Amino acid sequence: MTSSKDDLSARLDDAPAADDNAVASAPAVLLRGIEPEMAALFDEWLTRDGLRVLLQADAHERLGLILIDLPFPRQNGAPRLRQLAQAWPGVPVLVLSSTFLPGVAAQGDVAHQLGAAAVLASPVARDTLRAAVAKLLHRSCSV
């Protein structure tokens, strides 16, 4: 199945709202720089955990986490992360990159050097992503 950003946006807009209060109060995860197919997959995984997944947000949107894919984080990651920190101060950022080795500690030196809350090697397994997001949001996650 292929999907575009517009398809995901339409699906998110058309999703039935069982409990508007629960949806409105659910932590929001903003996806940045994520390919449309991966965004659709992350949306499926994270909404099952009761999170709201956003593709766009203005600086007034209350976010719980920003998830960003940076192809070359050591070359251009710091300026992009500073921009996010200015727009949403205090919101943790989880950086995905195919340049990270799978054994890199999620909240270790690489994350600290970039100014991110955590980093994960991409592609990322469902359980790994869900656990990292839950930890950063201080939530329990049954993986």
Side-chain angles (χ1 to χ4, degrees), residues 2 14 17 42 67 71 79:
T2 60
D14 293 341
F42 292 170
L67 178 59

Side-chain angles (χ1 to χ4, degrees), residues 41-120:
L41 195 56
F42 292 170
D43 173 57
E44 180 182 322
W45 295 349
L46 299 175
T47 55
R48 285 184 182 175
D49 288 334
L51 302 172
R52 291 184 303 129
V53 176
L54 306 175
L55 299 176
Q56 298 178 16
D58 63 32
H60 301 290
E61 181 74 43
R62 191 165 167 224
L63 301 177
L65 178 69
I66 300 169
L67 178 59
I68 186 169
D69 188 357
L70 293 175
F72 303 103
R74 289 172 185 90
Q75 293 175 358
N76 64 1
R80 292 189 66 192
L81 294 177
R82 278 194 299 273
Q83 290 173 340
L84 294 173
Q86 288 175 348
W88 294 281
V91 175
V93 177
L94 173 57
V95 177
L96 299 176
S97 181
S98 59
T99 63
F100 297 142
L101 298 174
V104 170
Q107 294 178 301
D109 290 340
V110 174
H112 181 71
Q113 290 171 4
L114 284 173
V119 298
L120 291 175

Side-chain angles (χ1 to χ4, degrees), residues 4-11 55:
S4 70
K5 223 179 226 189
D6 292 336
D7 292 340
L8 178 58
S9 296
R11 190 167 55 78
L55 299 176

